[in-house]
Amino acid sequence: MTEHDRVAVERPDDYLEAAVQRLLTENADIAEQGINVVRRDQSLVLYGEVESQQRREEILRRVAEAYPDLPLKVDIGLIRAQAPTEVEELP
């Protein structure tokens, strides 16, 4: 971690926001393009949707591993990946 990263962890800036976004999209084990990263107050917010709780936990683990002191808020929801169990009626 560079000196800039240490300062950024205390107060997230554009560089840290971009670095976390790159981690999510460019890491071969994650390769997640559906998660957005934005600065809010003194933390970064991860938001979007993933297909499973395990996927969500893996994303959070990877970010925490790369940036252990990063103040983080999470708004990652789960999308339904199974076929619907009931018929949708259209008007």
Side-chain angles (χ1 to χ4, degrees), residues 16-74:
L16 183 60
E17 185 179 333
V20 172
Q21 190 72 61
R22 270 194 314 280
L23 170 71
L24 296 175
T25 57
E26 295 177 0
N27 182 296
D29 294 333
I30 301 174
E32 183 61 64
Q33 295 180 5
I35 301 299
N36 296 299
V37 180
V38 294
R39 282 179 292 140
R40 191 156 298 138
D41 300 323
Q42 297 297 318
S43 62
L44 285 185
V45 178
L46 301 181
Y47 70 94
E49 294 183 333
V50 294
E51 69 275 2
S52 70
Q53 182 67 27
Q54 294 81 10
R55 180 84 170 148
R56 181 182 187 271
E57 290 170 3
E58 179 64 14
I59 289 167
L60 297 179
R61 185 184 72 77
R62 294 292 179 121
V63 172
E65 186 177 273
Y67 302 97
D69 297 325
L70 176 64
L72 195 62
K73 295 180 181 177
V74 181

